[in-house]
Amino acid sequence: MKPSDWRFAIGILELAFRSVAGENSRDWFTLANHLGQPSRALAHEIHEHLRQLRELEPRSKEADRVLGLLDDLALPDMLQYFRETTSEEDPRPTDIREGWCHVLWSHETPDRFLVGAVHGTPLEVVSVLDRRTPGACHGVLAAWHVDDPDWAASQIVRTFGRSLDQLGLMQLSASEGIPAIKMLTENAIWKTIVKSPWHAEAVEPSQDDLATDDNFAASGPAM
């Protein structure tokens, strides 16, 4: 492989995992879903190794060392998973989640967050909100895959003492910010968060890391 081809290929992967780690685009969720839902922390570690690998000679000992680290982090398995889920001949289903808890934002109400848990993906909810208010722009600030969105929703109501609207959302003031998100992860949904297939203890995000999620962006459909 030519060095230029090597750098180009590694650069593509680096950007992909940076997107998942930071949930910094509306397509992060779809991408993450096709990779098997790596955690933000895991995606960030892979991104850092890929960034380093892009600057190395393909056949160098240091490149071999970094490739070994990426192998330990399940990167080959994630890429194979991506290949299978995007195959036209025999696509693997990616609907591995029952629901999502999310924190959304709108440029129309910068002083408010929309918080909820629903059957479906954050981007599906964003699409509904965008259709309801043409010209508005909504996005995903944070999102967590949960195995029981109904239970998570009931705990959100219990935690904040407010009702949900027809879409399963409630408004929280931006001034509540990170403390509100910490209440979600530590009280309302922590026990129902689903770990990704590639979840590794070595890079498992702490509750504080999850609370400051976004990576999100997302983030979200997908994977």
Side-chain angles (χ1 to χ4, degrees):
M1 177 183 291
K2 296 179 181 178
S4 59
D5 293 338
W6 164 271
R7 287 190 291 271
F8 177 78
I10 298 301
I12 293 296
L13 291 176
E14 178 189 346
L15 290 173
F17 279 91
R18 186 176 69 181
S19 178
V20 174
E23 294 176 0
N24 55 4
S25 77
R26 289 191 61 169
D27 196 39
W28 71 264
F29 181 80
T30 299
L31 176 61
N33 205 35
H34 283 305
L35 289 170
Q37 292 286 1
S39 65
R40 290 190 63 201
L42 181 56
H44 176 72
E45 185 159 347
I46 290 175
H47 163 255
E48 289 299 317
H49 287 320
L50 289 170
R51 186 169 60 84
Q52 180 183 4
L53 188 63
R54 182 162 51 86
E55 304 302 324
L56 301 175
E57 290 298 323
R59 300 182 184 277
S60 66
K61 290 183 178 181
E62 183 63 12
D64 286 341
R65 185 188 71 82
V66 177
L67 286 170
L69 294 174
L70 290 169
D71 186 61
D72 292 341
L73 295 175
L75 175 61
D77 295 323
M78 292 182 203
L79 297 182
Q80 179 62 27
Y81 191 93
F82 184 92
R83 181 178 182 179
E84 292 174 0
T85 59
T86 58
S87 169
E88 293 183 0
E89 294 78 18
D90 186 24
R92 176 187 291 193
T94 59
D95 54 345
I96 61 174
R97 72 271 182 240
E98 288 72 29
W100 287 78
C101 173
H102 45 254
V103 181
L104 309 176
W105 58 263
S106 170
H107 79 287
E108 288 190 323
T109 55
D111 59 336
R112 291 278 172 180
F113 293 143
L114 296 173
V115 177
V118 300
H119 293 269
T121 71
L123 287 191
E124 290 169 347
V125 177
V126 165
S127 295
V128 172
L129 291 171
D130 285 349
R131 288 197 300 270
R132 282 189 169 189
T133 53
C137 179
H138 296 84
V140 181
L141 177 64
W144 298 269
H145 177 197
V146 295
D147 62 10
D148 190 343
D150 293 330
W151 183 88
S154 70
Q155 295 306 300
I156 291 172
V157 170
R158 179 180 179 182
T159 297
F160 296 100
R162 307 176 193 178
S163 60
L164 304 175
D165 65 15
Q166 291 181 335
L167 287 181
L169 301 172
M170 73 166 56
Q171 289 194 358
L172 295 177
S173 67
S175 61
E176 293 177 86
I178 297 302
I181 296 178
K182 285 178 66 66
M183 289 182 68
L184 279 175
T185 56
E186 296 176 1
N187 300 334
I189 65 169
W190 181 248
K191 293 182 180 180
T192 193
I193 291 177
V194 177
K195 294 182 178 180
S196 74
W198 325 117
H199 205 82
E201 291 185 2
V203 295
E204 180 176 357
S206 66
Q207 292 187 20
D208 286 341
D209 291 334
L210 288 171
T212 55
D213 249 347
D214 327 287
N215 344 169
F216 124 69
S219 157
M223 200 346 21

